[in-house]
Amino acid sequence: MSDQKQQNQINIELDEKTAEGIYSNLAIINHSVSEFVVDFISMMPGAPKAKVKSRIVLTPQHAKKFLKALSDNVNRFEKAHGTIKDYEQPPLPMNFGPTGEA
């Protein structure tokens, strides 16, 4: 392998607990001038309370790259498996503390 190719490689570690993943069926996105905050939430039917399972903070540039990567992957998925149906959901009342800016 050439030196240039070796310099462009990133060694990414994935520990066992992280590899299990976290289930989320709702995401709340907020932003300020300097960052996007994505809260991934697990909400179970009939439960009066939902819990933020993970929070990811991104720069605006990384948020845009993430949007493009996710869109590309959804398009490839739909080409292989058919259109993903979007079911209408009633609006959810959200109350999880004051909104703020970072």
Side-chain angles (χ1 to χ4, degrees):
M1 193 180 302
S2 74
D3 288 339
Q4 180 65 29
K5 284 187 179 178
Q6 285 180 340
Q7 289 176 355
N8 290 336
Q9 287 187 346
I10 299 173
N11 185 11
I12 299 173
E13 292 185 20
L14 180 63
D15 64 64
E16 196 172 315
K17 182 170 175 44
T18 305
E20 290 177 11
I22 296 172
Y23 178 76
S24 171
N25 55 2
L26 178 65
I28 304 293
I29 303 170
N30 290 293
H31 68 277
S32 70
V33 296
S34 61
E35 58 198 14
F36 280 74
V37 178
V38 185
D39 287 328
F40 291 96
I41 298 161
S42 177
M43 193 169 114
M44 294 299 129
K49 197 173 185 179
K51 187 171 185 176
V52 174
K53 295 297 202 168
S54 182
R55 171 174 278 184
I56 306 298
V57 182
L58 303 159
T59 65
Q61 293 80 10
H62 283 117
K64 192 166 186 175
K65 286 180 181 181
F66 178 72
L67 173 67
K68 183 182 181 323
L70 185 59
S71 178
D72 290 347
N73 276 271
V74 167
N75 287 334
R76 283 199 311 261
F77 178 93
E78 289 185 327
K79 282 181 183 173
H81 304 286
T83 302
I84 299 170
K85 293 181 182 179
D86 189 14
Y87 297 102
E88 288 292 320
Q89 295 283 334
L92 299 170
M94 298 291 167
N95 181 14
F96 59 100
T99 59
E101 286 194 20

